[in-house]
Amino acid sequence: MDENDIRIKKLGGGSLLIAWQLRDKNVLIVGGGEVASQRIESILTADAHITVLSPQKGLHPRTQRFIELRKDRITYYDRPYSGPEELDSMDMVLTALDDNELSRSIVELSRERRIPVNAADIPDLCDFYFGAQIRDGPLQIMISTNGNGPRMASIIKTRLQKGLSGLEGEAIIKVGQLRNKLKEREPGVGGQIGRDRMKWMSGLCNQWEMEDFTLLDEAMMEKVLDEGWEQDGRVPKVEEIGIRTSRKSTSGSFGQPSNYNVFKRVENASSIAIAPTTFAFVAGAAVASLVLIRFLKR
Ligand SMILES: C[C@@]1(CC(=O)O)c2cc3[nH]c(cc4nc(cc5[nH]c(cc(n2)[C@H]1CCC(=O)O)[C@@](C)(CC(=O)O)[C@@H]5CCC(=O)O)C(CC(=O)O)=C4CCC(=O)O)c(CCC(=O)O)c3CC(=O)O
Ligand SMILES: NC(=O)C1=CN([C@@H]2O[C@H](COP(=O)(O)OP(=O)(O)OC[C@H]3O[C@@H](n4cnc5c(N)ncnc54)[C@H](O)[C@@H]3O)[C@@H](O)[C@H]2O)C=CC1
């Protein structure tokens, strides 16, 4: 048994980290306090429709503000939760209540209906947890301690934020546009064409700096494809594209020979090593996790 076999044998004890697509789905939030206001913000970010149930007097000012400003997405009822019919047509249920018994009963009813549910006050009964979030455009980083220490998640978030340049979101947007252009030029799903596109995109992402991507405009993107993809999949240098970066060093693509060819370079590389990098960009989002019990990084 090698090291990887041992790792596989030990897999478990964490939770699934996914970027859940909630666009236009219906989410019920029972409660309107501070925690509910945080839930509303997270769910609005995901473009879902939200129903909030809470007597007016229990609304946190932030919840109040969300309800006023986002009538397009939030339906608010100034009344207590009335019973199981509130769950009809819901795709997700969240409770943020100061009433543990009610929270528990809503969880049970949701589970009977197979609706994913989170109760802010009963971790053991949650189908999923919220986490601390770092967002920059399509970049989404969630820090989860898997229920062990929410405040620790918040502290680690602050540390990670300091390690980011602030260019990542813009760079990922540009990479997404370039990938779309590549797919327009070279359509087709899967097979050799898919593998070639992935190799080329991975090579480009590996060799260019974040800043280089942020400086790409439409014409430059076409040039990257002309001078790179169309030339046996080489990775063009940033100077060839006319990008003027602020960096002085000869790092990144400056260090590569001009005929550097990604297809050749990765021919012998393990596809397992390439796929995760690629998929992070396929999604247009990066989700990093810190499950403190067992993993520091996946
Ligand atoms: C299980 C989970 C369920 C869920 O809500 O999904 C849950 C449960 C509970 N939290 C409680 C307390 C606190 N929660 C926070 C803060 C956050 N809590 C968040 C998530 C989660 N909280 C899920 C697990 C996530 C994980 O483990 O990683 C964050 C990350 C995201 C978010 O809420 O959106 C957000 C930080 C966001 C940010 O800063 O970016 C703070 C600190 C603060 O407010 O600054 C405190 C006080 C200090 C402390 O306890 O650490 C209590 C009451 C405990 C008690 O009564 O003693 C319970 C219930 C219990 O544990 O029984
Ligand atoms: N997951 C997390 O991040 C955290 C979770 N918590 C837990 O989350 C829960 C909520 O916390 P807060 O928002 O600070 O509490 P809060 O007391 O500010 O809010 C409670 C809300 O529930 C509403 N409510 C009460 N009975 C209701 C009913 N029958 N129907 C509809 N709405 C009803 C109230 O109007 C109020 O809006 C608490 O149980 C707390 O233990 C607390 C801190 C962090």
Side-chain angles (χ1 to χ4, degrees):
M1 221 190 271
D2 67 15
E3 221 173 88
N4 198 43
D5 290 347
I6 294 165
R7 191 185 62 82
I8 291 169
K9 284 265 191 196
K10 285 184 177 167
L11 283 176
S15 43
L16 180 66
L17 290 168
I18 53 174
W20 197 324
Q21 301 300 299
L22 266 183
R23 173 177 286 275
D24 293 334
K25 297 269 167 43
N26 297 319
V27 178
L28 175 67
I29 303 182
V30 189
E34 184 170 9
V35 171
S37 77
Q38 291 158 3
R39 299 290 184 260
I40 292 172
E41 179 152 0
S42 297
I43 303 294
L44 278 177
T45 306
D47 296 317
H49 294 290
I50 305 172
T51 300
V52 177
L53 292 180
S54 165
Q56 173 90 29
K57 65 174 173 11
L59 292 188
H60 187 274
R62 265 168 45 88
T63 307
Q64 182 85 51
R65 206 79 193 116
F66 278 123
I67 291 168
E68 281 163 21
L69 293 176
R70 294 306 302 267
K71 291 194 164 57
D72 59 322
R73 288 275 159 186
I74 304 173
T75 308
Y76 167 59
Y77 296 103
D78 173 7
R79 58 170 172 78
Y81 168 85
S82 67
E85 65 285 354
E86 307 272 24
L87 307 179
D88 290 350
S89 78
M90 290 302 160
D91 299 297
M92 176 183 280
V93 171
L94 313 176
T95 73
L97 290 162
D98 50 0
D99 178 342
N100 191 266
E101 277 314 302
L102 177 59
S103 210
R104 191 171 293 274
S105 110
I106 294 171
V107 168
E108 281 162 11
L109 290 164
S110 301
R111 191 138 300 135
E112 280 168 19
R113 288 160 179 72
R114 306 184 75 82
I115 306 170
V117 60
N118 170 284
D121 52 339
I122 326 175
D124 290 350
L125 293 185
C126 288
D127 286 324
F128 54 91
Y129 298 148
F130 283 81
Q133 303 173 38
I134 301 174
R135 291 181 176 275
D136 177 7
L139 176 65
Q140 314 178 113
I141 302 174
M142 172 173 145
I143 301 109
S144 170
T145 68
N146 221 18
N148 286 261
R151 182 66 201 159
M152 295 295 280
S154 184
I155 291 165
I156 292 163
K157 172 186 75 177
T158 308
R159 291 190 188 161
L160 290 177
Q161 270 167 332
K162 288 180 188 151
L164 293 170
S165 67
L167 297 173
E168 290 81 5
E170 186 60 25
I172 293 167
I173 289 170
K174 294 294 173 67
V175 166
Q177 291 168 352
L178 184 62
R179 291 180 74 249
N180 285 339
K181 283 186 185 296
L182 173 58
K183 279 192 212 156
E184 274 166 29
R185 269 197 202 208
E186 219 66 56
V189 186
Q192 192 56 43
I193 186 66
R195 282 192 288 277
D196 286 350
R197 279 194 309 243
M198 291 197 279
K199 283 176 186 173
W200 187 71
M201 280 311 307
S202 294
L204 190 68
C205 292
N206 289 342
Q207 288 175 66
W208 280 25
E209 302 288 337
M210 283 293 161
E211 187 194 5
D212 301 335
F213 288 106
T214 66
L215 298 170
L216 279 175
D217 62 22
E218 289 271 328
M220 288 170 178
M221 285 185 202
E222 296 297 341
K223 205 165 175 195
V224 176
L225 292 169
D226 290 340
E227 304 297 322
W229 172 260
E230 305 287 358
Q231 310 300 322
D232 292 330
R234 62 187 281 277
V235 171
K237 291 181 178 184
V238 286
E239 310 95 311
E240 287 174 61
I241 308 305
I243 295 173
R244 293 185 204 291
T245 64
S246 60
R247 69 195 147 97
K248 300 173 201 89
S249 76
T250 54
S251 66
S253 61
F254 286 91
Q256 295 297 340
S258 61
N259 63 348
Y260 185 77
N261 183 315
V262 178
F263 291 171
K264 278 190 187 138
R265 187 179 79 109
V266 294
E267 244 158 31
N268 298 323
S270 154
S271 60
I272 294 168
I274 297 160
T277 325
T278 311
F279 287 136
F281 283 98
V282 167
V287 178
S289 78
L290 290 167
V291 180
L292 285 187
I293 338 166
R294 313 189 77 167
F295 312 110
L296 259 185
K297 204 179 165 195
R298 187 198 79 88

